[in-house]
Amino acid sequence: MKTSAIIAAIACTSASAFAPSSTVRQNTALNLKVGETAPDFALQDQNGKTFKRSANKKPLVVYFYPADSTPGCTVQAKAFQAEIQSIRKEFKADVVGISGQGAESKQKFASELGLDFSILADENDAVRKEFGVPKAAFGFLPGRVTYVLDKDGVCTSVYDNLADAASHIEKAKEALGEIQPAKKAGFTLNLPF
């Protein structure tokens, strides 16, 4: 009887070794999905200022790019720069770019291109990981993904395209147009007298 009790005790305690240890979601796809609130973050920009996502109270384009001063990333940054005033005026929104290089690299990149929107230093890729930005090119390169967030930080659009860097600006503007409040229609009261 002692032997069967010992065997039963061992079986019951070791059974947990075969059970799942946690419910952590492991997903290689984009983790931030449309309808979800974006993770909060605070990162330093090219001017040494800290940008905090939750302090932003307007729509926001958050674009992740592989690296400063590379050909595709330069094309993408120039495309956003060419439209930044339009984005701010028409959609009352702002843009931030994020990659893994430090603030010094950001300063040089922004200066070379004359950028007047924030590009943020995510040196340990913590924010990239929080957003769940996938790696590209068989896992060799950081991905190029653009998220559009509404004024409350809720994701309204996700666009993932490493190869066509310039296409991100049009996709972002389309998404901003969809969340922009409808323009107030003029109201006229035509009375017969």
Side-chain angles (χ1 to χ4, degrees):
M1 191 133 180
K2 282 187 174 182
T3 308
S4 62
I6 293 172
I7 292 172
I10 292 171
C12 288
T13 58
S14 63
S16 64
F18 298 103
S21 59
S22 72
T23 58
V24 173
R25 183 175 79 177
Q26 292 191 3
N27 186 356
T28 57
L30 299 171
N31 284 337
L32 180 64
K33 294 176 179 42
V34 171
E36 294 179 345
T37 300
D40 195 17
F41 62 86
L43 294 172
Q44 188 177 26
D45 74 4
Q46 72 269 25
N47 300 313
K49 294 180 183 172
T50 299
F51 177 91
K52 185 168 176 66
R53 202 256 331 136
S54 60
N56 181 67
K57 300 301 179 198
K58 53 188 168 183
L60 182 66
V61 176
V62 179
Y63 80 90
F64 288 88
Y65 61 99
D68 298 335
S69 301
T70 58
C73 299
T74 298
V75 165
Q76 186 176 25
K78 283 181 174 180
F80 275 111
Q81 179 60 37
E83 296 293 327
I84 191 65
Q85 295 308 320
S86 168
I87 288 170
R88 288 176 176 156
K89 184 177 179 184
E90 185 178 341
F91 304 110
K92 310 288 186 259
D94 212 346
V95 173
V96 294
I98 302 176
S99 73
Q101 295 72 48
E104 190 175 299
S105 177
K106 303 285 173 241
Q107 189 174 36
K108 181 178 180 230
F109 187 46
S111 177
E112 287 171 354
L113 300 181
L115 302 181
D116 67 351
F117 62 90
S118 293
I119 52 173
L120 308 174
D122 185 21
E123 291 186 68
N124 59 5
D125 285 331
V127 175
R128 180 180 288 274
K129 290 172 188 164
E130 286 180 32
F131 271 71
V133 178
K135 293 219 174 237
F138 305 107
F140 292 109
L141 297 174
R144 182 186 316 280
V145 179
T146 297
Y147 299 88
V148 177
L149 311 178
D150 69 11
K151 64 183 180 60
D152 299 315
V154 176
C155 181
T156 64
S157 174
V158 179
Y159 182 66
D160 180 5
N161 187 330
L162 178 67
D164 189 357
S167 67
H168 287 252
I169 184 66
E170 286 310 313
K171 294 296 182 181
K173 287 178 72 175
E174 287 172 17
L176 287 168
E178 290 175 15
I179 62 173
Q180 183 180 23
K183 295 195 189 293
K184 293 181 181 176
F187 178 76
T188 12
L189 183 59
N190 294 326
L191 298 173
F193 48 92

